[in-house]
Amino acid sequence: MDKAVIDHFWRQRSALGMGRWTGNSMLAFELDLLAPLVGPNCRILDLGSGAAELSRNLLLDSSRLLAVDRYPSFLESIPDDSRISKQCSDLGSFATTDKFDLILLFGVVTHLEIEEEVELYRKVRSWLNPGGIFVVKHQVSRAAELSVDDFSEALQCRYVARYPNVNSQANLLRAHFNTVKTVSYPEALNHWPTTMHLAFLCSGAR
């Protein structure tokens, strides 16, 4: 993948305050999916958080959130909240000694090389509390892995991404976590015939 194109894409979007582009229906579905995973005193780590539209709306009074993103403009757009900490970092270099009950990786895998993805999962295992949940969500290919490098009419720019095969993605996660549950998104939220939105709920670090 052309990392320069990916970086330019996200720099532009962060400067314009444009993180999510999937709409309120998908956000509502994701909040309903994740809310049961957030209990009292839950510590949440949002990797590639953007403006944290999803994770900050999960917070209970006793919750704590660490939002991590490489683009400062995204982090600056997160409202000030005593429950939220922010760290500007590339995910490849991000490190912490803290432990978390819920770790989110939403919409990031499609812009990672497989080697970067594997290394990130290796680190996530050490950040997850016993009994914690790691949720990986992105678009996956309905068939063989799909690579895209083309002009997007929807986004009006060149777009580069990698959409892993469903089974390959699940097997990769099972190499790092004992339990991997898949959650399919409603077909109404899948706008492309070759891909679909899928969440992987992972627990029990190996």
Side-chain angles (χ1 to χ4, degrees):
M1 290 188 291
D2 192 326
K3 291 290 190 176
V5 173
I6 294 171
D7 182 61
H8 178 71
F9 173 80
W10 285 112
R11 284 189 186 281
Q12 280 198 319
R13 293 191 72 84
S14 67
L16 295 171
M18 301 168 63
R20 297 177 63 97
W21 63 79
T22 49
N24 291 332
S25 295
M26 184 170 289
L27 179 59
F29 177 83
E30 292 173 342
L31 289 171
D32 286 344
L33 171 66
L34 297 175
L37 306 179
V38 181
N41 301 307
C42 184
R43 300 198 66 187
I44 304 171
L45 173 62
D46 191 353
L47 298 168
S49 64
E53 295 100 323
L54 176 60
S55 54
R56 59 185 161 89
N57 282 298
L58 293 169
L59 291 171
L60 305 176
D61 288 343
S62 60
S63 304
R64 295 294 181 269
L65 167 65
L66 174 57
V68 179
D69 204 280
R70 70 179 297 181
Y71 301 104
S73 296
F74 274 143
L75 297 176
E76 289 164 4
S77 67
I78 299 175
D80 289 335
D81 188 317
S82 61
R83 298 168 298 174
I84 302 175
S85 301
K86 311 169 191 179
Q87 185 166 337
C88 189
S89 175
D90 182 89
L91 296 187
S93 58
F94 172 69
T96 180
T97 57
D98 291 336
K99 299 283 187 179
F100 299 88
D101 305 297
L102 179 62
I103 300 178
L104 307 179
L105 185 70
F106 272 60
V108 174
V109 166
T110 50
H111 290 151
L112 296 178
E113 299 285 1
I114 185 66
E115 297 83 6
E116 296 173 309
E117 189 183 352
V118 169
E119 176 60 18
L120 183 57
Y121 296 158
R122 185 191 67 78
K123 294 195 294 184
V124 165
R125 290 183 305 184
S126 69
W127 302 332
L128 195 63
N129 267 329
I133 304 291
F134 173 41
V135 186
V136 183
K137 183 270 169 178
H138 52 85
Q139 281 178 272
V140 294
S141 172
R142 295 180 186 267
E145 179 166 314
L146 176 65
S147 294
V148 173
D149 185 345
D150 205 349
F151 183 83
S152 167
E153 292 291 344
L155 297 171
Q156 285 296 298
C157 66
R158 182 182 170 194
Y159 188 71
V160 175
R162 175 179 70 90
Y163 302 107
N165 165 266
V166 177
N167 292 331
S168 297
Q169 181 69 75
N171 288 336
L172 179 59
L173 288 164
R174 289 190 184 105
H176 296 83
F177 301 91
N178 290 321
T179 302
V180 177
K181 175 185 176 183
T182 59
V183 177
S184 299
Y185 281 44
E187 279 300 320
L189 299 178
N190 295 320
H191 301 302
W192 308 104
T194 55
T195 64
M196 61 181 179
H197 292 277
L198 201 67
F200 300 84
L201 277 63
C202 310
S203 59
R206 291 184 182 277

